[in-house]
Amino acid sequence: MIDLHYWPTPNGKKVTILLEECGMPYRIVPVNIQQGDQFKKEFLEMNPNHRMPVMVDTEPKDGGKPIVIFESGAIMMYIAEKAGKFYPQDVRSRYEVNEWLIWQMANQGPKSGECGHFRRVDQKQHGDQTYAITRFTDEVNRLYGVLNNRLHKHRYLAGDQYTIADMICYPWTVNWKFQGQDIEEFPYFKRWFEELGARPAVQKGMAVGSDLSVDVTKLPPEEQARIRKMMYNQRAIPVPA
Ligand SMILES: N[C@@H](CCC(=O)N[C@@H](CS)C(=O)NCC(=O)O)C(=O)O
């Protein structure tokens, strides 16, 4: 069984999309990142980077002890490899998938994350954010251009086949409007976006945990301030005494 330590954010939903596409049974273990579950001792033992998702396979193919994996890209590779689906075997195709998977982890995810972060900052409290917002909105625009150009040449990101490269990118694009983008600027991306959005497994994967998430803006101001401090003022965790 796959246990997915999860909270309903784009980095978690990549994995639930893949699990749904593979039809692989899994259990969700909620990691409430607004309550600080990511800093608990048991969680840090699985992921020293204190971020979800984390996957635990209690029945690995080698029959050995459970396999624990952090970083969503590594989790996607593991699950696809175990299922023998959405991750081609031949070296050329596999490395095309790897390129786009690493592109997502190193570019689209972090830059879109910062774009969303600075767009949400309360400018009355923290001052003018124009520079940061422009910087990351432009960068995200550049990245949609990269997707659009690729999808102009190919049906899917890694070529002719739908793979984990597509699944890993999709959840970060659903908020294109909030990221300050106009989907009409990117017609080839739009074609891909609509095709993936119509897939039942993508819809199911995206909906996982929708009952868990809380609209932070509806919480009392003190609670919002506590969550912001915990999420946005993180510094190094000291080594244990
Ligand atoms: N590169 C990591 C990023 C994971 C990540 O940033 N997770 C966020 C939610 S999307 C998180 O756990 N945040 C907790 C926090 O900021 O304290 C991955 O792809 O697994």
Side-chain angles (χ1 to χ4, degrees):
M1 176 66 84
I2 300 288
D3 285 343
L4 185 64
H5 295 257
Y6 174 89
W7 198 245
T9 74
N11 286 324
K13 292 176 186 182
K14 303 163 172 176
V15 183
T16 47
I17 289 175
L18 174 60
L19 287 162
E20 292 294 339
E21 290 283 12
C22 292
M24 204 182 256
Y26 63 99
R27 283 185 297 234
I28 291 291
V29 183
V31 182
N32 188 333
I33 58 174
Q34 289 155 359
Q35 293 303 325
D37 288 356
Q38 68 274 37
F39 299 109
K40 288 184 175 158
K41 189 169 169 288
E42 319 80 80
F43 190 82
L44 287 171
E45 272 161 20
M46 295 189 294
N47 184 359
N49 191 41
H50 43 89
R51 295 282 186 272
M52 74 89 228
V54 169
M55 183 220 70
V56 181
D57 183 359
T58 60
E59 290 159 357
K61 274 194 169 166
D62 64 5
K65 62 181 181 135
I67 292 182
V68 182
I69 302 182
F70 67 89
E71 283 296 328
S72 56
I75 297 171
M76 304 281 289
M77 289 171 170
Y78 178 86
I79 293 171
E81 197 159 312
K82 185 172 187 189
K85 288 180 181 165
F86 307 114
Y87 198 18
Q89 292 289 321
D90 75 281
V91 70
R92 291 165 203 272
S93 310
R94 179 160 280 225
Y95 273 83
E96 270 188 277
V97 174
N98 289 349
E99 281 178 332
W100 286 97
L101 194 114
I102 290 171
W103 176 86
Q104 193 292 321
M105 296 292 291
N107 298 271
Q108 189 211 28
K111 299 293 169 79
S112 308
E114 297 302 345
C115 180
H117 173 83
F118 287 107
R119 283 177 166 269
R120 276 190 295 268
V121 167
D122 176 356
Q123 301 200 33
K124 279 194 213 106
Q125 198 184 345
H126 295 287
D128 181 29
Q129 302 293 317
T130 309
Y131 178 81
I133 292 172
T134 306
R135 158 77 186 145
F136 287 107
T137 303
D138 285 351
E139 186 61 5
V140 169
N141 182 271
R142 180 183 80 74
L143 296 171
Y144 275 99
V146 173
L147 288 175
N148 195 50
N149 281 309
R150 176 69 179 175
L151 294 164
H152 169 59
K153 285 209 203 108
H154 299 276
R155 179 163 175 196
Y156 298 109
L157 287 173
D160 299 335
Q161 295 178 57
Y162 175 57
T163 68
I164 50 174
D166 302 291
M167 298 175 213
I168 202 167
C169 290
Y170 177 80
W172 280 100
T173 64
V174 294
N175 278 336
W176 55 266
K177 206 180 264 177
F178 176 70
Q179 295 165 345
Q181 310 301 325
D182 176 4
I183 198 170
E184 301 305 331
E185 202 185 316
F186 307 111
Y188 302 98
F189 160 76
K190 187 180 174 194
R191 186 248 313 137
W192 171 94
F193 178 77
E194 287 175 350
E195 181 185 329
L196 262 69
R199 292 180 72 92
V202 171
Q203 292 170 4
K204 269 184 99 175
M206 289 296 292
V208 172
S210 47
D211 51 326
L212 294 172
S213 61
V214 173
D215 182 353
V216 176
T217 61
K218 304 244 160 70
L219 296 173
E222 324 74 72
E223 180 60 2
Q224 289 191 37
R226 186 197 64 74
I227 293 172
R228 270 200 305 274
K229 186 163 189 314
M230 187 194 65
M231 304 276 299
Y232 304 142
N233 296 102
Q234 296 180 14
R235 291 175 62 86
I237 298 178
V239 291

